[in-house]
Amino acid sequence: MLRRVRILRALPVLVLLAALAAFAREPGALAGFPLDDAWIFRVYARALAHGEGFAYDGARQEAGATSPLWVVASAPAERLAPLGSGAVVLGVKAIGALLALAAVLAAFAIAQSVSGSARVAALAASLFALEPRVVFSALSGMENALLVALWTGALAAWLARRHALALGLWALLPVTRPEALVLLPIALLVWLDWVRRAGFRPARLAWLAVALLPAIAWSLFCLHATGHALPNTFYLKAQPFRLGASELAVAWRAVGHHGLAPAWLGLAAAVAFAAWPWRARPPRAWTASLLLGPVAYLLAVAGSRHVAFSGYYWTRWLDPAGVLAMLPACIVVASGVVALVERARGARSGARAPAGEQAGGATLRLALPLAGLAALGALASVPHSVEAWRVRRFHLGSDSRAIDALNVAAGRWIAAHTPEHAVVAVNDAGAIRYFGARRTLDLVRLNDADVAFGRISREAALLSADWLAIFPGIFGPTPLAAPIALRFAPRTSFQVSVEEYTVCPCPEQTELRIYERNTDR
């Protein structure tokens, strides 16, 4: 029996590896990252790997990394730098792939615990491994794979009654994505379940504090580095919380956007999951956390910032919750398929299915109607899944090629053509800083607390630079256009066509121009 479970557990692992290989075959998918933000993480990770802490420019500490835990987790890849930047990129993608693998194995553990069936678990985890947002995140260089691995791991640990581990994993969520603060109340439910099952002990009170420590530690660091208790991006990108019809529509659309199944199937699966007669019905608090946690996360994001669906830059904030919202669908569909197969086998042989395998651990009377609906829903969502796979796979390669042709190329040019003491002002602050290796001023302010909080103006920062590496189409309509034209002369530019720039529908970002300060002014 144990051997069969191990064999079945290997199935979703193989499915994930095949999915990663399919995405990796897209030209450009392994050579770079689909967002310049991934290179910002590399800047901080390189500083951390070299013992400089969370430094963006020199030794000065900054709070520009919205995911400090991803900086820490991906910093080992920077040790591959002597082999070239390509080795670093592959190292980061390998870390992402391992995190995706951890999430798939956690999904297997959850499905097996709930259904009592290794076959259901293998099929559910295999479906989860085919979720295009999981595969894309693993190879994107961004923090989403880490967040999904921690989230599914915490749910699996709680279901296995490993409450201390579950609390520890919940504690790490807010330092992976700040929106995950809304999930911290679930830690209280974990703790209460622990006390209910194992009895109250004074020492267990300390575990409530453990759930808050990482978030408090990061807040104290931000306060020390910038004088503000939250990362710079909170003050620059967040908006007053509002939850109206448009925000609810964003949250609804995000459930299925370029994901494994449409949102309607996710909702239907959530209802079916709550109604399904599982052999080992999970605690109500656990079920509520599985079903409502993604909802809380989606609403927190949709209500606090502008979200568009025209590129990964925006949807990355919503993807983790969309992925978790699909986990119940994977389990329900897998249970339905196994139930129907077992029913058909039993009808042919006249034999009764083994205990614990009947309909994935459910009683046939209620399970079979639900199983049929789950199978029909899965079939109906196949076109959606195929299109989501095509779009995500295409964008992994195409977006990465665009970032390489503009940002990475500009950074390499800066390194080759400017003096080491040069000061460069930028509006995309990742690859140019990483490859240029010059003192860099972030005109968007996310990585410069002085500019972000008004201690110096953007114009003063610009005028203190020796070189600019900017999108002129962005600065043309701003007050900075005049000082740029007066004080700087263009030296070279990097361009792609509008069709090639697939990161977003942003024609103003298809040319990145490098300027040098006029020496006669």
Side-chain angles (χ1 to χ4, degrees):
M1 179 68 178
L2 183 60
R3 182 181 178 185
R4 188 180 70 169
V5 171
R6 288 175 178 172
I7 293 173
L8 289 171
R9 188 182 288 116
L11 177 61
V13 174
L14 295 176
V15 170
L16 177 64
L17 292 176
L20 290 168
F23 267 61
R25 291 186 63 187
E26 184 72 20
L30 294 183
F33 300 122
L35 284 180
D36 187 66
D37 294 56
W39 288 110
I40 295 178
F41 280 122
R42 304 281 26 95
V43 172
Y44 284 104
R46 180 171 62 186
L48 187 65
H50 292 165
E52 298 170 357
F54 283 84
Y56 173 77
D57 193 49
R60 173 178 167 175
Q61 303 298 291
E62 280 288 355
T66 51
S67 180
L69 190 60
W70 177 237
V71 173
V72 174
S74 63
E78 292 301 321
R79 293 298 182 182
L80 300 173
L83 301 177
S85 61
V88 174
V89 170
L90 289 176
V92 174
K93 291 178 184 288
I95 292 170
L98 288 173
L99 290 167
L101 175 60
V104 167
L105 292 177
F108 182 96
I110 290 169
Q112 185 177 21
S113 296
V114 168
S115 68
S117 167
R119 277 176 281 187
V120 168
L123 181 54
S126 296
L127 292 173
F128 192 72
L130 289 173
E131 164 63 62
R133 291 171 292 192
V134 170
V135 186
F136 187 100
S137 295
L139 301 175
S140 70
M142 300 294 287
E143 71 276 19
N144 282 354
L146 175 59
L147 184 60
V148 170
L150 291 171
W151 197 338
T152 53
L155 288 169
W158 183 7
L159 199 56
R161 300 184 184 180
R162 300 177 65 182
H163 296 89
L165 176 59
L167 286 170
L169 294 175
W170 282 120
L172 296 176
L173 294 180
V175 291
T176 305
R177 278 302 307 172
E179 297 87 355
L181 277 170
V182 300
L183 300 176
L184 270 187
I186 296 177
L188 178 60
L189 298 179
V190 177
W191 185 82
L192 291 173
D193 184 59
W194 191 9
V195 169
R196 182 178 67 83
R197 293 179 183 278
F200 175 78
R201 296 178 185 174
R204 290 205 174 104
L205 281 173
W207 281 96
L208 284 177
V210 166
L212 300 173
L213 284 179
I216 292 173
W218 178 238
S219 181
L220 290 174
F221 170 83
C222 293
L223 197 62
H224 166 73
T226 70
H228 293 74
L230 295 171
N232 299 348
T233 184
F234 173 82
Y235 304 97
L236 298 174
K237 290 187 177 181
Q239 59 192 23
F241 188 80
R242 178 183 180 274
L243 204 58
S246 60
E247 289 76 22
L248 293 174
V250 166
W252 170 255
R253 184 178 175 187
V255 172
H257 180 71
H258 292 165
L260 186 65
W264 65 262
L265 182 61
L267 176 61
V271 174
F273 188 93
W276 199 283
W278 303 111
R279 191 186 75 167
R281 177 165 292 279
R284 291 181 180 176
W286 184 92
T287 301
S289 299
L290 171 67
L291 300 180
L292 299 181
V295 175
Y297 189 101
L298 288 171
L299 294 179
V301 175
S304 62
R305 63 177 66 201
H306 169 73
V307 176
F309 288 92
S310 54
Y312 181 60
Y313 178 83
W314 293 278
T315 60
R316 62 189 168 125
W317 300 322
L318 299 160
D319 275 357
V323 168
L324 265 293
M326 285 299 154
L327 180 55
C330 294
I331 298 173
V332 166
V333 168
S335 298
V337 170
V338 170
L340 293 175
V341 170
E342 289 296 332
R343 178 68 167 180
R345 289 175 59 187
R348 285 199 306 268
S349 65
R352 187 178 177 85
E357 294 288 346
Q358 296 178 28
T363 50
L364 291 173
R365 185 186 305 175
L366 181 57
L368 284 177
L370 291 175
L373 291 174
L376 288 174
L379 287 174
S381 66
V382 167
H384 175 98
S385 305
V386 171
E387 177 63 10
W389 248 74
R390 185 196 67 79
V391 170
R392 288 279 173 156
R393 184 173 181 265
F394 166 77
H395 275 281
L396 180 65
S398 184
D399 294 1
S400 297
R401 294 194 300 271
I403 295 298
D404 282 353
L406 294 172
N407 303 61
V408 173
R412 294 186 186 278
W413 192 95
I414 289 287
H417 295 88
T418 66
E420 292 185 3
H421 62 271
V423 178
V424 184
V426 302
N427 59 256
D428 264 10
I432 296 173
R433 171 70 182 93
Y434 187 86
F435 290 97
R438 300 293 184 262
R439 185 185 171 198
T440 304
L441 305 176
D442 181 4
L443 297 177
V444 180
R445 303 172 290 171
L446 295 176
N447 300 282
D448 194 321
D450 285 341
V451 183
F453 300 113
R455 292 191 280 267
I456 63 173
S457 68
R458 284 215 296 171
E459 183 173 348
L462 182 145
L463 294 177
S464 69
D466 305 308
W467 295 80
L468 307 180
I470 60 174
F471 295 114
I474 290 179
F475 285 88
T478 73
L480 295 180
I484 290 173
L486 182 65
R487 300 293 182 92
F488 294 88
R491 289 293 176 254
T492 190
S493 65
F494 301 88
Q495 291 179 276
V496 297
S497 68
V498 173
E499 292 76 21
E500 291 175 298
Y501 195 77
T502 55
V503 178
C504 65
C506 310
E508 69 278 4
Q509 293 182 197
T510 58
E511 180 191 9
L512 198 157
R513 189 178 298 168
I514 296 179
Y515 300 78
E516 184 181 8
R517 176 190 290 277
N518 290 323
T519 56
D520 57 344
R521 291 184 181 274

